[in-house]
Amino acid sequence: DRKKLHTAPVGQVFRLRPFHVLVATGGGYAGYRKYEDYKLKQLEKRGIEVPVKLASEWEVALYKSVPTRLLSRAWGRLNQVELPTWLRKPVYSLYIWTFGVNMKEAAVEDLHHYRNLSEFFRRKLKPQARPVCCVHSVISPSDGKILNFGQVKNCEVEQVKGVTYSLESFLGPRISTEEMHFSQAPPGNSFQQQLVTKEGNELYHCVIYLAPGDYHCFHSPTDWTVSHRRHFPGSLMSVNPGVARWIKELFCHNERVVLTGDWKHGFFSLTAVGATNVGSIRIYFDQDLHTNSPSYSKGSYNDFSFISNNNKEGIPMRKGEHLGEFNLGSTIVLIFEAPKDFKFNLKAGQKIRFGEALGSL
């Protein structure tokens, strides 16, 4: 009465597929990088200067092999699953404890109000929680940490101290003059010089990193007019300061939405950079924008003009006005033209909140 057991060949049982190998190796390497970042933070706390060590091409390629776009879409769907009322407080309380969220600033402090993680991430603040500075001309568009700021030099922008990326690779080719309110610089000039439209002005930049515990909406940093949107599909690698210090041109690899236009001193741009689990970038006045699509062509981008026959000016934005939101947290990069006497009121590494001054004339 013994039953016969049918067994499959050992090779079939343990057959590894390329996808599994990529996930295992890429995930393991990402964990290793997290450990390296932890060691660097410990050295920084002791006041020891950490030398810049950039990733090699194979390390970047290995990191890119991790299916971060797929994981981000899965994370986005998970965030939209409605939680049972009894489970909401324990889940959100764990997140609050892990990332240091200040719920006293939230417009709705009751955790049971948020039906899913997505609603909790995109929570609004009390009106008085972030007063907008009226004295300075440029304010912080979001909560976050200042990674770098200063003048743009030699068509290169610093993402963190000592690690740069190409200005043209980041913003893409120059936008046609029909979509801008000012004249074009001579074509023989460098890309940086073509962005500067007024004699005596300089080009400035500021990079703000939004941590998972920060307020996830971003606002207009000044009074300006948005005339054009350029969307770059791309990778969704982490943009935390440790990775930004390790991968050159990290922001040029990642998906990003570049808003360009002008303010009273000339060219102005705000770029929302995507990251792991931040595939969703939303611009409130741009209903045609869809980020983190399943497929895209490497190095591609798509343009959209807000100037039309019915709208000759573009989208006017007031300082402090709601502009958009991230799904979890990421990076905002400001690149703008201003007179030479423009001064930043910042220190690299400082925490900043939406509405606080970035700089002024």
Side-chain angles (χ1 to χ4, degrees):
D1 296 330
R2 293 179 181 176
K3 295 181 179 179
K4 293 182 179 180
L5 298 177
H6 297 276
T7 58
V10 175
Q12 293 182 12
V13 176
F14 295 101
R15 184 168 56 188
L16 294 175
R17 299 183 185 277
F19 176 77
H20 300 153
V21 174
L22 288 175
V23 171
T25 56
Y29 193 76
Y32 166 74
R33 288 306 315 172
K34 288 289 186 181
Y35 174 68
E36 289 293 310
D37 293 343
Y38 170 77
K39 291 198 300 183
L40 289 176
K41 288 179 181 178
Q42 296 304 310
L43 292 175
E44 289 176 347
K45 287 180 179 179
R46 290 189 232 166
I48 302 174
E49 186 173 349
V50 181
V52 175
K53 183 181 179 182
L54 297 177
S56 62
E57 290 186 8
W58 73 265
E59 287 178 310
V60 175
L62 182 58
Y63 190 0
K64 283 187 172 182
S65 70
V66 180
T68 51
R69 292 179 64 84
L70 176 62
L71 294 173
S72 296
R73 284 194 297 274
W75 177 252
R77 291 181 181 179
L78 179 63
N79 287 351
Q80 295 173 4
V81 174
E82 185 169 343
L83 296 175
T85 305
W86 62 268
L87 189 58
R88 294 174 188 177
K89 188 171 183 179
V91 171
Y92 301 147
S93 295
L94 178 62
Y95 186 91
I96 291 168
W97 176 79
T98 303
F99 296 109
V101 178
N102 183 3
M103 284 302 294
K104 291 183 179 179
E105 297 176 333
V108 180
E109 297 184 39
D110 182 12
L111 298 180
H112 295 101
H113 168 79
Y114 302 100
R115 294 173 298 176
N116 51 48
L117 283 167
S118 182
E119 286 189 2
F120 179 71
F121 293 147
R122 295 181 288 106
R123 65 192 176 275
K124 298 297 186 287
L125 299 181
K126 295 173 182 175
Q128 68 274 19
R130 296 289 187 276
V132 175
C133 176
C134 299
V135 178
H136 293 77
S137 55
V138 184
I139 62 169
S140 176
S142 66
D143 289 7
K145 178 181 180 180
I146 301 295
L147 293 189
N148 216 306
F149 63 93
Q151 284 190 17
V152 177
K153 297 180 180 179
N154 302 319
C155 295
E156 293 279 326
V157 184
E158 282 192 317
Q159 58 192 29
V160 294
K161 185 177 180 181
V163 182
T164 63
Y165 56 92
S166 164
L167 179 65
E168 186 170 7
S169 297
F170 182 70
L171 295 178
R174 183 81 166 99
I175 300 166
S176 64
T177 55
E178 288 78 8
E179 299 181 32
M180 309 301 285
H181 296 172
F182 35 82
S183 60
Q184 177 136 1
N189 289 356
S190 68
F191 183 81
Q192 177 179 337
Q193 291 171 327
Q194 291 181 36
L195 295 181
V196 178
T197 62
K198 298 181 180 180
E199 187 176 353
N201 282 2
E202 296 287 347
L203 206 61
Y204 297 86
H205 78 282
C206 182
V207 183
I208 305 170
Y209 167 68
L210 287 74
D214 287 328
Y215 168 56
H216 301 308
C217 297
F218 51 93
H219 301 245
S220 176
T222 191
D223 295 334
W224 65 307
T225 302
V226 184
S227 56
H228 186 271
R229 178 258 290 161
R230 177 167 285 161
H231 173 216
F232 291 85
S235 301
L236 288 175
M237 295 185 283
S238 171
V239 293
N240 74 55
V243 177
R245 189 184 295 111
W246 178 55
I247 297 180
K248 183 178 175 63
E249 298 204 334
L250 171 64
F251 299 155
C252 297
H253 289 294
N254 273 15
E255 182 160 17
R256 60 198 182 278
V257 176
V258 183
L259 300 178
T260 55
D262 66 295
W263 69 319
K264 60 183 178 181
H265 299 297
F267 174 80
F268 198 96
S269 73
L270 180 149
T271 301
V273 183
T276 308
N277 294 335
V278 195
S280 175
I281 301 172
R282 183 184 174 194
I283 304 298
Y284 294 138
F285 58 75
D286 188 357
Q287 301 302 316
D288 295 321
L289 175 65
H290 300 286
T291 57
N292 196 13
S293 57
S295 60
Y296 70 97
S297 300
K298 184 178 180 180
S300 65
Y301 62 85
N302 57 77
D303 288 335
F304 184 86
S305 175
F306 298 109
I307 295 179
S308 63
N309 293 331
N310 297 326
N311 182 4
K312 301 292 185 180
E313 298 297 321
I315 308 295
M317 298 296 301
R318 304 294 297 175
K319 184 167 65 174
E321 186 178 350
H322 278 85
L323 182 55
E325 62 188 34
F326 290 112
N327 185 49
L328 184 58
S330 189
T331 299
I332 295 286
V333 180
L334 301 179
I335 298 175
F336 57 93
E337 174 185 0
K340 291 182 178 180
D341 55 351
F342 181 88
K343 300 294 182 183
F344 284 102
N345 301 314
L346 302 172
K347 292 181 180 179
Q350 79 172 70
K351 290 288 292 182
I352 198 166
R353 304 200 305 176
F354 155 62
E356 294 179 348
L358 286 185
S360 191
L361 298 170

